[in-house]
Amino acid sequence: MCLFCEIAKGTIPSKIAFQDETVVAFHDIAPQAPVHVLIIPRKHIESAQALTMEDNDLLCHMFEVARKLAAELGVADSGYRLITNIGKDAGQSVAHLHLHLIGGKTLNWNN
Ligand code: AMP
């Protein structure tokens, strides 16, 4: 079972920030900043390392959703970070591609 597939299906509850046919965004359960949203594709993709050219539109759409959410959540002007962890050394804990949208405070390199 993939945790984020279940969240995308709605079988595991989350605080949804946005959803459409291909992308779901929800608030991180352990936020690292005042704004911390995860943007995921509904399609199960293990990480950015598993992306193919077929995913071009999907990936573009994920960034579009990030941009719109950043504006909605009030961090588009102050600035924010988009992060995707890939694999063990990066600390990826859920093997389903996700963008962390983090902002709402001055970010150091560690957070
Ligand atoms: P990563 O470590 O890059 O794989 O990020 C996984 C993120 O998922 C972490 O920031 C977790 O806090 C977050 N997370 C884990 N379980 C949940 C959940 N049930 N709802 C929302 N966020 C979650």
Side-chain angles (χ1 to χ4, degrees):
M1 182 206 85
C2 167
L3 173 63
F4 284 0
C5 283
E6 298 301 319
I7 286 178
K9 278 191 263 174
T11 45
I12 290 180
S14 68
K15 201 176 155 203
I16 299 283
F18 171 87
Q19 59 181 325
D20 65 11
E21 313 79 57
T22 56
V23 169
V24 180
F26 51 96
H27 294 270
D28 198 291
I29 205 166
Q32 301 300 307
V35 171
H36 189 168
V37 171
L38 301 173
I39 299 154
I40 67 168
R42 287 190 186 277
K43 175 183 174 185
H44 182 82
I45 299 171
E46 290 237 329
S47 77
Q49 193 63 26
L51 283 165
T52 71
M53 296 297 272
E54 272 181 24
D55 303 311
N56 281 359
D57 288 350
L58 177 60
L59 192 57
C60 240
H61 185 45
M62 287 173 68
F63 275 84
E64 183 189 25
V65 169
R67 237 178 343 97
K68 288 182 176 168
L69 279 174
E72 225 171 82
L73 297 169
V75 298
D77 293 335
S78 51
Y80 60 97
R81 194 169 279 160
L82 287 176
I83 298 170
T84 188
N85 291 318
I86 301 166
K88 181 169 63 68
D89 281 0
Q92 184 181 4
S93 60
V94 180
H96 183 125
L97 175 65
H98 49 283
L99 292 177
H100 294 258
L101 189 170
I102 299 174
K105 68 170 190 179
T106 301
L107 300 167
N108 301 312
W109 187 234
N110 289 334
N111 65 0

